Amino acid sequence: MRRIEIFDTTLRDGEQSPGVALNAEEKLQIAHQLGKLGVNVLEAGFPIASPGDFEGVRRIAQEVRNVGVAALARANAKDIERAWEAISGGESPRIHTFIATSPIHMQYKLQKSPDEVFEQAVQAVRLAKSKVSDIEFSAEDASRSDVDFLARVFTGVIQAGATVLNVPDTVGYATPEEYAAFLKAIMERTTGIEKVKVSVHCHNDLGLAVANSLAAVGIGVHQLECTVNGIGERAGNAALEELVMALHTRRDQFNVETSIVTSEIARTSQLVSRLTGMMIQHNKAIVGKNAFAHESGIHQDGMLKERSTYEIMSPSIIGVDVESIVLGKHSGRHAVQQRLADLGLELEDSHFEELFSRFKLLADRKREVTTADLFSLVDEQKEKTDQINLDYLQISSGTHLVPTATVGLMYQGQRLADAACGDGPVDAAFKAIDKVLGTQGKLSHYSLQALDGGEDAQGEVTVSVKFGENLVAGRGVSTDIIEASVRGYLQAVNRAYTRGWIEIKQ
Ligand code: KIV
Ligand code: ZN
């Protein structure tokens, strides 16, 4: 069976989702998991974009092995030099350079003639080739480009040394048949196309990203670009898990295979959701909470008689397993350690001891400590690098009271505290945090849900907060929903602080 490569751009295009701001540590964690998932290439970021992006890409290139690491660069010398600086220490580095080729982008955005764009593309690939052998060239807005012009650009960049040609549907405008026909025409008209790999990169503005990518598989493309949970610019990119499971489940139709370890899909999806703060919709294909849930009586009856009546793939194939041992306040170190190992969350001894004491505190507050709770405990541990931490929280609220919050925070070894009133206890607590720190966060999204089923589930709060022009997400979990809200807000504050978007006034 033909092998198709998976190029994951969660850390680049996915990270461009509004509100997502990952630090280098978080990017590295996701990159390691993408390695376990078995992607062929991971796009680690856009090094010229910021010092933080550069550092994230550099560390991933140095520390993540057995997977290609790509860095994005516009088609100019400065970007390419910076991208190369970031990935040169890697095992299999790839420079990914791009320029727009559609009339609308060339005329209005670039304000360049087609000949100038052609020249710039070829020069960029030539420069990149002088540094590394693996060069991907993307024609931004390819699907709205003139087919003959695009074939001319592709022919030129192949001669200059490109090894992968990407045909993005940048604005998610294409339809499957149209996109397949366009790809076919490009492949027929580009000289030297047989020497390179052809890649597709589809956005989801019309909800067609996965369908368009799958249509391209039928044309014989070699690489699919996608993101975990389909996150990305605007409506996002083709979702990795949907592409992979469609190819796997319907291999009778597609006749291709990937190198993805499907049992790592659920874990990867959860990790990306937690660290980006982007919740997964319940009915999301493959990784949504309801993707394998059967509600109606008729369906449940069918399932009990024969699973294949309503189940086209088993949850275990994506790594969703039914837990056999219930963890609670009577569970010992060994049981907790074993469950963490099963979840791929091995910790060093000293970290484990700390986590175990927090596990015991949590188990005192709720009957069962679930997988989601464990993931949260591990996350909290990782967030120990936060500069601003919650020390204490006191709320007074009720039907005849003005909601008031007093918040104590630890910052640079000092305890800072203040109080504020608000429309409700959460609003009061957020205002108190801003008062303590001298920040001015504007809440643009707030959601609260139970972390998982059961009456003693922890509350999980996700927030998006605007600091000036910058939107940043945060997530907090606790048995107390006000505390969860405060923790979510503080995560957003910490992310904004790390990125230099806010200053703390003491
Ligand atoms: O959507 C797009 O065109 C891109 C390119 C940079 C590949 O993300
Ligand atoms: Zn894109």
Side-chain angles (χ1 to χ4, degrees):
M1 215 181 261
R2 185 166 80 87
R3 243 247 166 148
I4 199 154
E5 295 192 356
I6 298 295
F7 176 107
D8 178 276
T9 181
T10 306
L11 295 173
R12 199 277 297 169
D13 220 327
E15 221 249 346
Q16 287 173 221
S17 306
V20 174
L22 299 168
N23 61 33
E25 237 8 274
E26 292 165 332
K27 284 188 175 179
L28 199 60
Q29 210 185 328
I30 292 177
H32 279 298
Q33 181 58 31
L34 290 170
K36 274 195 196 161
L37 179 66
V39 304
N40 302 91
V41 181
L42 71 86
E43 185 161 51
F46 191 10
I48 195 90
S50 70
D53 264 45
F54 176 86
E55 187 52 18
V57 177
R58 195 187 63 78
R59 287 192 58 191
I60 290 169
Q62 284 190 340
E63 295 177 36
V64 182
R65 303 277 130 182
N66 302 321
V67 51
V69 175
L72 188 69
R74 284 165 299 188
N76 67 56
K78 241 173 128 185
D79 277 34
I80 292 170
E81 297 289 354
R82 193 74 173 142
W84 177 236
E85 209 185 320
I87 54 170
S88 51
E91 200 176 58
S92 11
R94 172 184 293 185
I95 295 179
H96 176 194
T97 186
F98 74 100
I99 191 165
T101 52
S102 65
I104 197 162
H105 276 233
M106 290 191 291
Q107 182 182 347
Y108 296 107
K109 189 182 80 174
L110 300 176
Q111 296 179 337
K112 285 189 190 296
S113 69
D115 283 346
E116 286 172 316
V117 167
F118 173 86
E119 236 357 271
Q120 197 173 326
V122 170
Q123 291 304 335
V125 171
R126 219 169 263 149
L127 173 64
K129 194 69 178 184
S130 69
K131 311 207 173 285
V132 64
S133 63
D134 193 6
I135 310 293
E136 174 164 339
F137 172 78
S138 283
E140 193 188 8
D141 206 17
S143 57
R144 293 193 298 170
S145 303
D146 173 74
V147 73
D148 288 317
F149 175 63
L150 188 54
R152 182 177 156 225
V153 173
F154 278 171
T155 303
V157 297
I158 292 174
Q159 280 164 4
T163 45
V164 182
L165 296 184
N166 185 28
V167 191
D169 181 29
T170 302
V171 291
Y173 184 70
T175 62
E177 291 76 15
E178 179 192 35
Y179 190 50
F182 184 78
L183 286 163
K184 205 156 176 271
I186 286 293
M187 287 159 91
E188 279 163 8
R189 293 178 208 192
T190 301
T191 309
I193 195 89
E194 65 292 343
K195 293 189 283 202
V196 298
K197 292 178 190 162
V198 178
S199 173
V200 291
H201 173 114
C202 296
H203 278 268
N204 206 29
D205 299 66
L206 294 174
L208 293 172
V210 169
N212 285 336
S213 308
L214 293 175
V217 171
I219 302 301
V221 301
H222 308 87
Q223 175 179 282
L224 302 179
E225 305 200 358
C226 47
T227 58
V228 175
N229 300 338
I231 63 172
E233 281 275 359
R234 308 180 308 280
N237 291 57
L240 180 149
E241 61 282 0
E242 294 179 27
L243 284 176
V244 168
M245 290 314 295
L247 294 175
H248 180 83
T249 311
R250 298 308 311 272
R251 49 194 180 277
D252 58 319
Q253 287 289 309
F254 295 108
N255 256 308
V256 294
E257 59 181 11
T258 70
S259 57
I260 296 297
V261 181
T262 61
S263 56
E264 291 291 332
I265 286 179
R267 188 174 301 158
T268 314
S269 160
Q270 289 298 324
L271 178 71
V272 169
S273 172
R274 280 201 317 282
L275 296 187
T276 58
M278 289 192 74
M279 275 167 44
I280 304 167
Q281 80 199 48
H282 289 185
N283 62 331
K284 164 90 177 59
I286 318 295
V287 290
K289 190 172 164 215
N290 295 348
F292 296 98
H294 301 270
E295 177 70 23
S296 97
I298 296 174
H299 288 209
Q300 289 178 352
D301 179 54
M303 285 287 290
L304 289 171
K305 288 176 175 146
E306 166 56 47
R307 298 191 77 85
S308 63
T309 49
Y310 288 102
E311 197 172 79
I312 60 164
M313 55 199 156
S314 148
S316 63
I317 200 164
I318 63 152
V320 174
D321 289 317
V322 179
E323 292 154 13
S324 49
I325 297 174
V326 172
L327 294 179
K329 68 175 179 184
H330 300 297
S331 304
R333 279 182 177 71
H334 183 68
V336 176
Q337 220 151 15
Q338 185 57 51
R339 176 66 57 79
L340 288 171
D342 291 347
L343 296 168
L345 298 172
E346 273 118 317
L347 299 178
E348 288 166 22
D349 284 354
S350 60
H351 288 164
F352 173 76
E353 282 309 318
E354 204 184 323
L355 180 132
F356 187 67
S357 35
R358 285 186 299 114
F359 166 88
K360 283 288 184 190
L361 288 176
L362 181 61
D364 267 343
R365 289 163 89 180
K366 69 193 294 271
R367 234 176 321 136
E368 185 185 338
V369 178
T370 63
T371 299
D373 292 327
L374 280 182
F375 273 124
S376 264
L377 288 173
V378 172
D379 276 354
E380 276 171 33
Q381 189 108 355
K382 298 221 165 76
E383 281 155 25
K384 285 278 148 59
T385 51
D386 283 353
Q387 302 288 312
I388 305 143
N389 289 293
L390 179 65
D391 185 28
Y392 65 87
L393 168 69
Q394 200 179 318
I395 298 288
S396 81
S397 175
T399 49
H400 293 84
L401 284 177
V402 176
T404 310
T406 309
V407 174
L409 301 176
M410 294 305 293
Y411 173 64
Q412 293 184 340
Q414 286 184 61
R415 178 172 290 118
L416 309 171
D418 217 323
C421 301
D423 296 334
V426 171
D427 184 46
F430 291 178
K431 284 195 170 118
I433 293 174
D434 276 340
K435 222 166 145 189
V436 173
L437 301 173
T439 49
Q440 277 188 320
K442 199 164 175 299
L443 190 67
S444 71
H445 164 85
Y446 173 93
S447 80
L448 165 67
Q449 62 169 1
L451 188 56
D452 48 19
E455 59 184 19
D456 68 344
Q458 295 198 83
E460 177 187 36
V461 169
T462 36
V463 293
S464 299
V465 188
K466 239 181 162 181
F467 293 98
E469 284 308 297
N470 300 302
L471 189 66
V472 65
R475 173 182 170 277
V477 174
S478 171
T479 48
D480 177 319
I481 58 173
I482 316 278
E483 184 186 328
S485 308
V486 164
R487 292 194 180 280
Y489 195 81
L490 279 178
Q491 189 178 68
V493 169
N494 272 295
R495 286 174 170 173
Y497 181 69
T498 319
R499 297 219 142 198
W501 292 341
I502 52 171
E503 276 177 24
I504 308 294
K505 297 190 194 85
Q506 293 178 62

